[in-house]
Amino acid sequence: MAAVKTLDATLKAVATWQYWNTDAIGSTKDEDTVTAAAVLTSGQGVNESNNMYRARYTIEQGSPTDIDLRDLTDAFGLDKPFDNISGVLIQNRTTTSGQHLLVGPQGVANGWSAPFDGDADGKLVCRAGGHVSLASPVNRVSVGDANKVLRITHDGAAAADISAEVVLFGVWEETSSSGSSSTSSSSSSSSSSSSSSQSVSSSSSSSQSTSSTSSYSSSSSSSVSSVVETSGSESSKSESSESFSLSSKSSMSESDRSESSESFSLSSKSSMSESDRSESSASEST
């Protein structure tokens, strides 16, 4: 059985607060929660996704990390390129002040510039302990061979390496061969059924067009049954033909013996009549 993968994901930002004001009269409070969430179910349509990628990178000073969105392997070891992106989360896991990341095409060849309004040099600063995110569940952000490289670089302000967590949601517009395989299998089955039906019809027609003696009827039933069970195998047809031939010969032999007996009886009667007439004529002459 082929593996089936489904994806349910949520990318959200939640702002919850209690904002107090205390004065001579007393305290008042502004309290609320605002949630911005992209909820994705499995598929390739609006608010859907069928592909994800997650990895943790160590970003070194002076050594950019380039993520080719068309050449990624998922958690199950499958090569699943992105055709478009519906969600991005990049977290700067380092909490040391001054250790920042730069995220964007930044002039790299085939840089993923679509989220930056096509700016090939565009970038965002992901500061220490923070994150940058993109959620576009309805109109996903396109990815192509000339628009595919997400670059993450160390801003160089501090020498230490920076740990970055990257999560991507999107769609791989996979073209499945299962449909053609199913069609092929269905055609094959239909062909086999048709062949079997023709063999049975042929045997039945042969049975009906020949003498309907009881011995042949038995042989005909046997031959049809054999064809159904073996889907028209040549050996079954051969055995059926031999069975019919023997039955026919047997029937003809019985018929010949019957006709021979009748002929003998008539001949005997005829001979006896001639003898009687001869004896009667001799008596009259005497």
Side-chain angles (χ1 to χ4, degrees):
M1 176 181 175
V4 177
K5 297 177 180 62
T6 58
L7 174 64
D8 293 299
T10 300
L11 180 63
K12 66 181 179 180
V14 180
T16 300
W17 68 90
Q18 292 181 343
Y19 184 39
W20 295 87
N21 178 56
T22 303
D23 55 22
I25 300 174
S27 296
T28 57
K29 178 177 64 172
D30 174 32
E31 180 178 13
D32 206 347
T33 298
V34 174
T35 302
V39 180
L40 306 170
T41 56
S42 196
Q44 299 183 36
V46 174
N47 294 313
E48 293 181 339
S49 181
N50 67 354
N51 196 13
M52 77 160 291
Y53 173 77
R54 181 267 180 114
R56 184 171 295 179
Y57 294 90
T58 297
I59 312 300
E60 299 176 358
Q61 187 180 38
S63 181
T65 294
D66 293 333
I67 303 172
D68 187 340
L69 302 178
R70 300 286 294 165
D71 185 23
L72 295 175
T73 302
D74 70 7
F76 304 103
L78 299 177
D79 294 331
K80 296 182 68 175
F82 283 95
D83 290 298
N84 44 65
I85 296 291
S86 52
V88 178
L89 174 63
I90 299 175
Q91 179 189 18
N92 185 337
R93 300 182 68 250
T94 299
T95 57
T96 303
S97 178
Q99 295 187 345
H100 309 317
L101 296 172
L102 303 177
V103 179
Q106 304 173 66
V108 67
N110 302 317
W112 189 43
S113 60
F116 299 88
D117 199 25
D119 184 358
D121 296 314
K123 60 181 178 289
L124 293 173
V125 179
C126 183
R127 300 182 180 276
H131 68 271
V132 295
S133 64
L134 164 71
S136 186
V138 177
N139 299 110
R140 293 184 293 268
V141 184
S142 63
V143 177
D145 289 337
N147 176 43
K148 64 177 183 176
V149 179
L150 173 62
R151 169 166 280 191
I152 304 175
T153 59
H154 193 300
D155 77 343
D161 295 342
I162 302 175
S163 177
E165 191 88 34
V166 177
V167 179
L168 305 171
F169 298 121
V171 167
W172 170 39
E173 296 173 354
E174 52 188 321
T175 53
S176 175
S177 60
S178 60
S180 58
S181 298
S182 298
T183 302
S184 176
S185 176
S186 176
S187 299
S188 176
S189 299
S190 175
S191 175
S192 298
S193 299
S194 175
S195 174
S196 176
S197 298
Q198 290 174 358
S199 299
V200 173
S201 297
S202 176
S203 299
S204 298
S205 299
S206 175
S207 307
Q208 294 171 2
S209 64
T210 320
S211 171
S212 60
T213 64
S214 59
S215 58
Y216 171 65
S217 295
S218 173
S219 174
S220 173
S221 299
S222 174
S223 67
V224 172
S225 175
S226 177
V227 171
V228 172
E229 292 176 0
T230 61
S231 301
S233 67
E234 291 299 324
S235 60
S236 296
K237 293 177 183 176
S238 175
E239 291 173 5
S240 299
S241 299
E242 291 176 7
S243 175
F244 164 67
S245 177
L246 291 173
S247 292
S248 297
K249 288 180 180 180
S250 175
S251 299
M252 292 171 65
S253 297
E254 291 295 330
S255 177
D256 290 343
R257 283 198 293 274
S258 177
E259 291 175 2
S260 177
S261 299
E262 291 176 3
S263 178
F264 172 74
S265 176
L266 291 172
S267 177
S268 297
K269 290 180 180 179
S270 177
S271 298
M272 289 173 66
S273 297
E274 289 296 329
S275 174
D276 291 343
R277 281 196 296 273
S278 294
E279 290 179 0
S280 175
S281 296
S283 298
E284 290 176 1
S285 176
T286 303

